[in-house]
Amino acid sequence: MLYLIAFVMPIILMAVVYVYNWQNRLPIKQVLLPFSLGVLAVLIYICWILFDTGQMDGVSHKPDTLIQNIPSVMLDAAMPEELIKWIVLSTLLIIGRGQKLYDSHYNIIMCAVSISMGFAALENMIYLLGSDHMVRTVLARSLMSVPGHCCNAIWMGYFCAIAKFEPSKRWFAIPLCLIVPIMTHFTHNYSIDIPSYTTNVWLDCIALLWIAIFDLGVCILSFKLLKKIKNLYLFNLK
């Protein structure tokens, strides 16, 4: 049952984003395809992690301090995950250009969200397989990680849409396709790790409060952006 919940939660969030744009929805197949590719993208990420951490040789090292944990969080999670999702999204947009697929700002965001939710669905299952506290893992990922993936996808899709439909803004939109999702992903993951490096209860409480405030702020800004795009860019701006 917990495995079902872990897999279904990203689908529910994807469906919410899909239904929200009731005036100009993508065909279901254009939502399911990127979702499926997002699931497959996890396999590429796993290969990256196994190679990068040395687990192919049965060796895995946890950084000794928070400072030493910075490159680990960036190179093992935030950067590869968002880069892989961006590559999948860019590939779909290039392939779909001649067929006029994903022909509006919102639809590109929807494509990005579908990829990210596919990624999160399988990632949830993997985390459950290695968890000693399955209920806590499901709750944490459903309330924090999955919405975080969705919010990162909204910003990635938004800047990809800017780059596609507004050529004069590509110089800043293309870098931001990766910079914004990577930095929000990094901040979330790094903050989550803080309590495991401290022995002070008050510092742990401050860290948890910061995580809650940061995640809530990112979600609010992301869905405000989604509302803006829905209202201002209902159809593709030529």
Side-chain angles (χ1 to χ4, degrees):
M1 186 61 165
L2 289 175
Y3 285 98
L4 180 61
I5 294 173
F7 192 82
V8 167
M9 283 305 297
I11 297 176
I12 292 174
L13 192 51
M14 180 179 71
V16 169
V17 177
Y18 178 76
V19 171
Y20 184 60
N21 187 31
W22 57 269
Q23 300 102 326
N24 187 33
R25 292 178 190 164
L26 280 169
I28 290 294
K29 66 179 181 180
Q30 291 181 28
V31 176
L32 295 181
L33 174 60
F35 179 86
S36 302
L37 293 176
V39 172
L40 294 176
V42 177
L43 303 179
I44 301 174
Y45 173 63
I46 291 173
C47 292
W48 168 280
I49 292 301
L50 290 176
F51 178 80
D52 186 54
T53 61
Q55 289 182 8
M56 286 182 171
D57 299 322
V59 179
S60 179
H61 301 287
K62 178 181 178 180
D64 296 324
T65 66
L66 269 173
I67 298 298
Q68 293 175 351
N69 195 39
I70 291 176
S72 177
V73 173
M74 178 63 77
L75 298 177
D76 293 345
M79 186 177 292
E81 286 191 29
E82 300 305 329
L83 179 60
I84 290 168
K85 288 185 280 187
W86 177 79
I87 291 172
V88 175
L89 175 60
S90 299
T91 302
L92 283 175
L93 294 181
I94 292 171
I95 293 173
R97 182 181 299 172
Q99 304 173 27
K100 296 184 179 180
L101 303 178
Y102 311 113
D103 57 352
S104 73
H105 290 68
Y106 196 101
N107 286 345
I108 291 178
I109 292 175
M110 186 68 241
C111 180
V113 169
S114 299
I115 294 167
S116 192
M117 292 299 93
F119 192 100
L122 184 54
E123 189 181 50
N124 281 356
M125 306 290 282
I126 293 172
Y127 269 94
L128 272 183
L129 287 172
S131 175
D132 296 325
H133 306 281
M134 296 179 71
V135 174
R136 186 168 67 186
T137 300
V138 169
L139 287 175
R141 292 199 61 80
S142 297
L143 296 176
M144 300 174 69
S145 299
V146 174
H149 277 289
C150 183
C151 292
N152 291 340
I154 289 173
W155 287 97
M156 181 181 290
Y158 169 70
F159 286 115
C160 279
I162 293 294
K164 178 177 180 178
F165 298 124
E166 303 177 52
S168 63
K169 298 181 180 179
R170 284 177 183 169
W171 64 274
F172 75 85
I174 292 177
L176 290 178
C177 288
L178 281 172
I179 292 173
V180 173
I182 286 174
M183 292 311 300
T184 54
H185 195 146
F186 169 80
T187 304
H188 169 83
N189 283 21
Y190 188 75
S191 300
I192 287 289
D193 284 347
I194 291 176
S196 66
Y197 285 92
T198 64
T199 56
N200 188 303
V201 175
W202 288 106
L203 287 178
D204 290 350
C205 291
I206 292 172
L208 292 173
L209 180 61
W210 156 248
I211 295 167
I213 293 173
F214 176 79
D215 287 349
L216 182 60
V218 170
C219 284
I220 290 173
L221 289 175
S222 299
F223 280 88
K224 280 189 174 182
L225 174 65
L226 201 63
K227 181 178 180 181
K228 173 186 174 182
I229 294 300
K230 176 176 176 287
N231 293 336
L232 296 182
Y233 301 110
L234 183 57
F235 300 102
N236 181 21
L237 296 181
K238 299 293 184 178

